[in-house]
Amino acid sequence: MIFNHKPILLAECMASLNIQRDGTYLDLTLGGAGHASEILKRLGPKGLLVGIDQDENAIAAADQKLKDSHCVAPYKLHRTNFENITSVMQEMGINAVQGILMDLGVSSHQLDEAERGFSYQHDAPLDMRMDRRNALSAREVMNTWSHGEITRIIREYGEDRWASRIASFIVKARETESIETTGQLVEIIKAAVPASARREGPHPAKRTFQAIRIAVNRELDVLASTLNDAVMLLVPGGRIAVITFHSLEDRIVKQTFASFVDGCTCPKNLPVCVCGFQQKLKLVTRKPIEAGEVELQENPRARSAKLRVAEKINHDTDIKAT
């Protein structure tokens, strides 16, 4: 099985990573291996690609694609959440890497596989688990979580102004029968969102489905800690490139990078830093890179993508930005 997958911002990612032929590179969101295969092509026999994904289908498809590429560099794949990046590298005996890529959010193949329950455009069992070994599914969230918990995730993760009303309709609907399918949930959401609001903007279920998916997979809970661990793994001069697809992810990436660029906690009126902060990153992209018109025409899913890139400071040669 090989996914029909268009890697987003591919040329920009490859250029941003500044790939060294003998380097070790991590793809923490392997997916269909679109980005990973291009990294592998740029590595020599002494290089190494390490791919991580929690989706068993992604691991199988990526392995097949990378085998078929007939590249000279070796690769290792691990099925786990990227929050386990440190333990994976320790098990491999690797202390530092030259580059790290993260392509966040739901992948194209997960949306296209109707039975996975990620899409509001297909009627399927409520699931949304990226790792189907995990116990928590969208079905459990919709049928057991309280009105307050459901409101919170739709408001925080979906940024939907109708969060409380949608939660009320969900709780009321499940009193009659359990919510088992995406189709049921879509109809409940449509009934909850006023007709005037349904006529403008995206599909009324889009934000709620995003919110449930994020909650089920703990996407935002593990992002900041994973970014911290990733930065620690970089060699001086190594780069980390992160693609986000909504404002919540992008905010975490931007703030985490900023904490490594200027995390000084000293009062502004002090003439010198006394808190001991040492800059660890410098920004390669002050503003996020976005897809151009040609890519958007070929792949509309790239419309919300933002790429941020940072480089590990080499304190022997780099001077802290002022």
Side-chain angles (χ1 to χ4, degrees), residues 10-176:
L10 180 59
E12 293 85 349
C13 285
M14 296 304 106
S16 297
L17 285 172
N18 191 25
I19 296 170
Q20 308 301 306
R21 182 172 169 79
D22 295 338
T24 297
Y25 290 83
L26 305 186
D27 186 337
L28 299 185
T29 47
L30 193 59
H35 292 102
S37 61
E38 290 299 318
I39 294 173
L40 199 64
K41 289 177 185 177
R42 290 162 171 77
L43 298 179
K46 294 182 180 179
L48 176 65
L49 170 71
V50 179
I52 290 177
D53 205 294
Q54 57 187 324
D55 189 320
E56 61 182 331
N57 291 350
I59 291 290
D63 191 28
Q64 187 62 56
K65 184 178 181 69
L66 296 175
K67 280 179 181 175
D68 291 347
S69 70
H70 302 295
C71 293
V72 297
Y75 66 89
K76 299 289 184 181
L77 306 184
H78 298 265
R79 184 187 175 196
T80 187
N81 191 297
F82 57 40
E83 68 177 320
N84 300 315
I85 176 178
T86 301
S87 61
V88 167
M89 301 310 286
Q90 287 174 346
E91 289 173 11
M92 296 182 66
I94 297 173
N95 299 317
V97 301
Q98 280 67 38
I100 299 173
L101 176 68
M102 300 176 73
D103 180 4
L104 301 175
V106 65
S107 65
S108 297
H109 79 270
Q110 287 167 336
L111 287 171
D112 294 338
E113 288 182 313
E115 69 274 12
R116 301 292 297 273
F118 285 100
S119 175
Y120 49 80
Q121 296 178 332
H122 307 288
D123 190 20
L126 267 176
D127 193 333
M128 300 195 196
R129 291 174 297 170
M130 293 179 179
D131 187 339
R132 286 185 277 196
R133 297 171 298 185
N134 293 337
L136 183 65
S137 69
R139 179 190 179 281
E140 182 176 347
V141 171
M142 290 297 93
N143 287 289
T144 67
W145 284 20
S146 69
H147 176 274
E149 290 172 317
I150 295 173
T151 299
R152 179 186 64 80
I153 63 170
I154 297 175
R155 180 176 291 136
E156 292 182 10
Y157 299 160
E159 299 179 294
D160 195 316
R161 61 175 173 154
W162 304 108
S164 181
R165 182 175 168 87
I166 292 170
S168 295
F169 275 62
I170 288 169
V171 171
K172 183 174 179 57
R174 74 191 191 196
E175 291 175 356
T176 304

Side-chain angles (χ1 to χ4, degrees), residues 223-254:
L223 180 54
S225 62
T226 300
L227 289 168
N228 280 302
D229 291 343
V231 170
M232 294 301 102
L233 281 170
L234 286 173
V235 300
R239 290 187 173 184
I240 178 170
V242 185
I243 302 173
T244 62
F245 288 89
H246 57 76
S247 60
L248 300 173
E249 293 173 336
D250 186 58
R251 188 179 307 131
I252 291 173
V253 175
K254 181 179 179 180

